[in-house]
Amino acid sequence: MLGGVPLHPALVHLPLVLWLLAPVLGLWACLSHEQLLWQLSYWSVIAGCFSALPAMFAGVLDAISVEAGDELQHDLHMHSGMMSAAWCLFAVIPVVIEQLPPEGGKLVTFFLLQIAGVILMSLGAHVGGRLTYKHRMPNPGPE
């Protein structure tokens, strides 16, 4: 929090957009065989990982600033676990792709890994929405 204002909700949008953009560009690259689109998709994944770090740090700070009940604690763990797993998946995608030979479906593998990351990220973001709108986190009050 900065001056009582939670930072995490403000910082999550850039990495989410970059990670959502990556498979769109990846699919376009698969269909068009355009090298520039492949590179934009690749760098979108990497930029999403770096831009997610401040959001993750702010999320941890927001989470430790609340007194959590059982259901809130469960949703906190689910959100942080899913989003951390999504971050890890997106972080290893460039490493895995660099190890694959150029022939044999490298772009398709890249695209499918991105889709898996987007699905995991979307599930985690859904739980994050519950934290915000159901539990009114980071300032839970009486319902």
Side-chain angles (χ1 to χ4, degrees), residues 32-104:
S32 69
H33 303 288
E34 189 67 41
Q35 186 65 22
L36 176 63
L37 295 171
W38 150 262
Q39 291 171 344
L40 288 172
S41 179
Y42 179 88
W43 287 107
S44 182
V45 168
I46 293 171
C49 289
F50 279 107
S51 66
L53 293 173
M56 293 167 70
F57 181 71
V60 169
L61 293 179
D62 289 348
I64 62 175
S65 71
V66 300
E67 293 181 24
D70 289 341
E71 187 179 3
L72 173 58
Q73 195 72 34
H74 175 265
D75 284 349
L76 272 171
H77 290 145
M78 291 296 293
H79 174 65
S80 62
M82 284 188 232
M83 296 309 282
S84 296
W87 186 89
C88 290
L89 177 57
F90 279 113
V92 300
I93 287 173
V95 176
V96 168
I97 291 305
E98 290 299 323
Q99 304 305 314
L100 294 176
E103 67 284 339

Side-chain angles (χ1 to χ4, degrees), residues 110-130:
F110 185 55
F111 174 71
L112 292 175
L113 287 171
Q114 290 172 342
I115 291 297
V118 165
I119 290 169
L120 191 53
M121 176 192 71
S122 298
L123 293 170
H126 171 73
V127 178
R130 285 179 38 176

Side-chain angles (χ1 to χ4, degrees), residues 71-72 74-75 126-137 139-143:
E71 187 179 3
L72 173 58
H74 175 265
D75 284 349
H126 171 73
V127 178
R130 285 179 38 176
L131 290 170
T132 300
Y133 297 108
K134 180 178 181 185
H135 300 293
R136 291 182 264 183
M137 192 183 161
N139 298 310
E143 303 228 356

